[in-house]
Amino acid sequence: MEAFWKRQSGDQSLHAESFQAVPPPPPCASFLPPRRNSKSRWAPHLSSCQCSETHDEYHTFPPASFSDRTVKVSYVSTASVASGGDPLLLRTVLETTPKPKGRDSFSSVHVVAPPEKQSPEVAEPLVACLCKAATVEGVELHVHRLPERGCAADATAMEEYEAIFQTASSAILAKADRASLLLYVGWEDHAKDSYAALIGMLPFRGISTALLTQRSAHGDLLHHATPSGVFQVNGRDAGRMGMFPVHAIFGALTSCTMIDNVQVWKPVDLTKSGLDKNPVAEQLPFKIGGLVLPMIMHNAAYSEALKALGAAVRSHFADDRSFFPIVSCGESCDALGYGQDVLDSMGESGFLFTHKSGETYKRYDNYGSSELFTSISNARAQGRTPVIIAVGGGVNGNSIGLIAAVTGADFVEVPTTPMHFNDATTSAKKAFSLVVDDKILSKNIIGAFYLPKLVFCVNEMLLTSSFANIHATIGESTKTMNMLGMAGSSTGASDYHNILGASEFASNTISIIRTVGGFDRLARFVSTPAFARVKGQVLQLGSQIKQLRDSTRGTVASAKLSGLMADRRNKMRELREQFHAMPDNDKSSIKEFLTVVNREIVAAKAMFLAYSDPFEKYRALLFEYAHTLGHGVEAFANGLYARCQNSGIPVPESALRLHGQCVGMAVLWAGHMSFNLGLLEGTGLQLHQALGYLFNRHGGFSFKPLRDLCDAAGVCKAEFCEGVLSVVRRDNKRGYVASADPAKSVDQLVSGRPGKMMKSDDINAELRYLVEVDEEWQHNVLCRAFDGEFDKVADLVDGQLVFVSSGVACQSSSETVADLIYEMLVRMYSGR
């Protein structure tokens, strides 16, 4: 079978094996955009850099020691912790515990304690002491009780898991954020002190954590594990990049500070399996926190790519360890056979962990399993390293990645959608949403930072991406294009002069629009009746396989099961052959689209995460552009789907809106907010909106299908707006701006043109480009969206760029429109 695609001649590998000092380049005479026939070429900015002579951060590479980290925690001798506390205990904790950056005090205190009857003589007096002091000093204080079973001496791993996540959820519901202090009250069973680290790491945007401990010896203050041994936080783990959730410990022992080096980062070494020299395995250059993360796009036929994946993972453990693979996949990937195929490729006995799919199930109860935790425990007991392998889309990757983070398992990602590959894996953040009664209250708010050892994309898996997934990929890309623009130009370098080492990965995200023809062809391909028919047959076989597999779990596989799996493999080959039977021009166009979008978005993420902001708390928050309303409408849409399902109202595929699609819609809404504020007008506004409307010829970013569903379910405009805004009020960026008003949210806005973000007047927020947005502005654009005002498509009429209503026949091809938009952006960036 023909390889999916091959490396293009002239492609350049941008991989710095070591850090180097870069002298300031000479001044730039003008910015010369790439030629039309080089739209897929991606070269380092420094290869032709002629920017200003200033020693700015954009052109500065940190020294080799940049990725060397230490981790530390201080134990503060406080005798009263052993005797019920004293009137000054709370003040001591508040003054001694390190504050979040930009803060000189905590906004609230969240005390985590055992049930009242668990420790009446030790913990309860401390809780009473803290509450009394808070009342006297006017400190906002909340008390969260751990579940009783989670505190029992014989608690199971599942009960520990529930205690950790139930308590973290309780704190977040009580509005704990990065400006808060989480204060854990330990008791006689000091093994449960581990909960302080595990709960403290979960409020996603960070929270300062202090521990009151009753331990009789200092022990290892940088390593915490629950009694079951399943859940653990090791501050020395290189995959955590030096982030340790416990900031201060208070007890009756002598004061001390424990400090140690973070372990050397050891990702999968591609040279051991020969992947570094394989002509059909392309490594995209990427770093987080100075650490190289191997990211592979494998272009061979499906079976060959899987063999390469298995060989790469096995090589990582060949020297002195054995491993136990745990493959996680949702319903769709399981039905397509991807999970089982990846597990088989490992060549080791392992565990296939399947679960429900979708944003509504991006929650801890969907990923907590006694069988899963038992497999991790048994593997460790046998001396095997548990390796969690995420096979699927971004929801699965984010969620099971968090399980890897709280268990300390090794982690590998095998993305099956473009957006998972270029957006989700290029971030150390792994998170659940806060979901109550199947309603998403807040997106991605319970999480941690944890690096995978390898990201391996089998490119033929991308061919089964859904229509919605393809639009989700480009929706997120329109956000990045409007946020970053032409970062490799001299103008772009000036825009992002404060991003350390950005020139190593400088991306021209705007080049993605010139592959719109490939996007259109891919969207049409996955929508053809022939493709839908065969994919439907595969999914039906997958459902039968799951039913039979579940009924025979633990027994020898039946001949019927083997036959069904063989039938599925044959149907999947038939599905892939449909792509290979396409005209060469169509195939090349699709390959180019996927190649360029993956390269440019990966490069864009690396610009910020490589050195400047690996934990995405400051400058890299720019990647949250349009996510405030995007998350809100996404949560609302998922609630609407559940409501329709419960009422027997059919939900057409055209009404499905995935995360990236919601972000793509919100980009257009954010542009209108900037217009209303006088920040974006004329050509700048036109180009901002054009980057979204260009990709809307198939209706993937139009609101009308959702509006029709709202009408069918009896949801009015007011209910829609309130449903979205109720999620916005719990947005995970709250707490970043000290003056945040409950009637405002924290957001980003484009100013002047794509690639230029508005900066806040707040000195604390300036580096994060965060601004306060009135809820009234958001309500206004939501009303307009509900009325279909943003359901438009970019077209050329008499040589002029115009936006016509979605559904109206366009006069010009999308490629012709893209060329004009690109030329207009080049002129704007070059000052012509």
Side-chain angles (χ1 to χ4, degrees), residues 54-224:
T54 57
H55 292 265
D56 62 8
E57 292 184 86
Y58 181 97
H59 294 96
T60 302
F61 288 178
S65 59
F66 177 83
S67 57
D68 297 336
R69 294 179 172 85
T70 59
V71 61
K72 70 175 183 178
V73 65
S74 295
Y75 184 106
V76 181
S77 182
T78 315
S80 68
V81 170
S83 55
D86 64 63
L88 296 178
L89 176 60
L90 179 61
R91 179 53 45 198
T92 299
V93 171
L94 292 175
E95 291 180 351
T96 306
T97 305
K99 313 299 184 296
K101 187 173 181 178
R103 296 276 181 171
D104 56 11
S105 64
F106 295 107
S107 61
S108 60
V109 177
H110 293 261
V111 172
V112 174
E116 293 183 30
K117 62 182 181 180
Q118 183 76 33
S119 179
E121 296 181 359
V122 176
E124 282 313 297
L126 285 171
V127 173
C129 171
L130 294 169
C131 290
K132 182 177 180 180
T135 301
V136 171
E137 298 194 30
V139 174
E140 180 184 339
L141 184 143
H142 306 261
V143 177
H144 309 276
R145 297 288 181 176
L146 291 160
E148 185 174 340
R149 279 302 307 163
C151 297
D154 60 347
T156 65
M158 190 66 195
E159 289 166 340
E160 292 174 344
Y161 177 79
E162 290 171 342
I164 293 163
F165 282 91
Q166 284 181 20
T167 308
S169 299
S170 173
I172 292 168
L173 282 169
K175 299 186 178 181
D177 60 27
R178 67 178 298 276
S180 305
L181 171 68
L182 189 144
L183 178 53
Y184 185 91
V185 177
W187 64 100
E188 296 90 331
D189 185 3
H190 56 79
K192 298 297 194 299
D193 283 359
S194 57
Y195 285 159
L198 288 156
I199 295 169
M201 72 189 282
L202 291 177
F204 174 57
R205 290 298 177 189
I207 193 169
S208 298
T209 302
L211 164 65
L212 305 185
T213 183
Q214 303 299 327
R215 61 177 64 194
S216 56
H218 290 101
D220 188 349
L221 301 178
L222 296 173
H223 186 277
H224 294 264

Side-chain angles (χ1 to χ4, degrees), residues 199-267:
I199 295 169
M201 72 189 282
L202 291 177
F204 174 57
R205 290 298 177 189
I207 193 169
S208 298
T209 302
L211 164 65
L212 305 185
T213 183
Q214 303 299 327
R215 61 177 64 194
S216 56
H218 290 101
D220 188 349
L221 301 178
L222 296 173
H223 186 277
H224 294 264
T226 60
S228 74
V230 171
F231 305 102
Q232 50 187 263
V233 179
N234 181 4
R236 303 173 184 85
D237 185 343
R240 302 186 191 278
M241 298 184 290
M243 178 174 279
F244 187 62
V246 179
H247 297 81
I249 301 174
F250 300 84
L253 304 176
T254 58
S255 294
C256 69
T257 296
M258 179 169 284
I259 184 169
D260 203 352
N261 293 323
V262 172
Q263 297 163 351
V264 175
W265 171 238
K266 294 181 179 180

Side-chain angles (χ1 to χ4, degrees), residues 365-376:
D365 61 325
N366 189 41
Y367 288 82
S369 158
S370 295
E371 193 173 6
L372 171 62
F373 299 144
T374 298
S375 70
I376 293 174

Side-chain angles (χ1 to χ4, degrees), residues 285-287 426 501-502 505 601-611 623:
F286 189 73
K287 294 177 184 175
T426 53
F505 300 96
I601 299 303
V602 168
K605 297 290 284 291
M607 279 183 62
F608 289 77
L609 305 188
Y611 312 115
F623 286 101

Side-chain angles (χ1 to χ4, degrees), residues 351-366:
F351 175 55
L352 179 61
F353 173 59
T354 62
H355 49 78
K356 293 181 179 179
S357 302
E359 291 288 344
T360 301
Y361 296 101
K362 193 178 185 181
R363 62 198 205 202
Y364 74 86
D365 61 325
N366 189 41

